[in-house]
Amino acid sequence: INFEDTVSMQYLRIDTASNPNNIWQVGAPQKTIFINAYSSPNVIVTDTVNPYPINDTSSFIIVAIAGDGYTFPHTASLQGEYSVNSDTLTDFGMIEFSPDNGTSWYDIVNDTFITNNIFMPPDWVILTGNSNGWQPFYVNIAALGPLFNIQLFDTVLWRFSFISDSIQTNKDGLMFDD
């Protein structure tokens, strides 16, 4: 998603149903560490101005449509840039995907069934600690298409979450772009 483009923004859902105080915001980051978008001016970030709060779980969802792949008949992939500034291991981000419109969710970083069956497992996507600036990520779940019966033009959901513990560290959190 390009966070400057209103057409692509129709594929973004900030989850206020499970958390009415969801901290994900689209805008220009104006924090201590997070001061620049990867592609200016907008990102999606855990609050554009304030540090992330304690005891919070906030999520947003990107809606994607499975397309034709080169190796597998129907595929979905995810790529972009991320930056993280959080308390290592106790405050963290998570990326999940759903092949069935949100009925089931699979953690693409920690679920061994998923990581054993995808191309370019995202073991290098570290969504905790300090990334020291923007880092690229790419996940191709093409091999999961047949395992989950993903067909051409099926909807695949990607859920991005940030989870914090009970200790205030005044860190910036997590942001994504492009």
Side-chain angles (χ1 to χ4, degrees):
I1 288 183
N2 175 335
F3 296 106
E4 287 75 43
D5 178 16
T6 56
V7 173
S8 66
M9 290 293 287
Q10 70 182 336
Y11 298 103
L12 172 68
R13 299 179 189 156
I14 295 178
D15 180 13
T16 55
S18 61
N19 181 355
N21 299 313
N22 195 312
I23 61 173
W24 287 104
Q25 296 175 349
V26 173
Q30 302 168 36
K31 299 176 117 176
T32 304
I33 303 294
F34 295 170
I35 57 173
N36 294 313
Y38 183 77
S39 62
S40 292
N42 295 333
V43 298
I44 189 160
V45 59
T46 51
D47 196 300
T48 56
V49 177
N50 300 307
Y52 60 85
I54 62 170
N55 298 322
D56 185 70
T57 298
S58 290
S59 302
F60 70 90
I61 295 170
I62 293 177
V63 179
I65 307 301
D68 248 350
Y70 295 107
T71 306
F72 295 92
H74 311 297
T75 188
S77 63
L78 176 69
Q79 68 182 40
E81 306 288 330
Y82 76 95
S83 186
V84 63
N85 175 249
S86 73
D87 187 22
T88 304
L89 302 179
T90 57
D91 300 333
F92 59 94
M94 183 167 50
I95 302 173
E96 301 165 288
F97 98 99
S98 174
D100 55 13
N101 216 15
T103 301
S104 306
W105 289 97
Y106 300 91
D107 181 340
I108 66 164
V109 175
N110 298 306
D111 185 307
T112 55
F113 174 76
I114 300 302
T115 58
N116 289 337
N117 286 288
I118 63 175
F119 175 68
M120 294 190 66
D123 57 351
W124 46 267
V125 178
I126 309 297
L127 301 177
T128 190
N130 192 349
S131 64
N132 295 309
W134 287 104
Q135 301 297 321
F137 69 95
Y138 173 72
V139 181
N140 183 342
I141 63 167
L144 296 177
L147 299 174
F148 290 107
N149 196 29
I150 297 173
Q151 301 297 312
L152 185 62
F153 305 121
D154 277 358
T155 299
V156 175
L157 303 178
W158 297 95
R159 180 167 59 190
F160 296 75
S161 299
F162 188 77
I163 301 145
S164 64
D165 66 6
S166 62
I167 300 169
Q168 180 55 265
T169 57
N170 293 309
K171 304 263 183 168
D172 286 1
L174 183 58
M175 66 178 170
F176 294 94
D177 204 356
D178 289 349

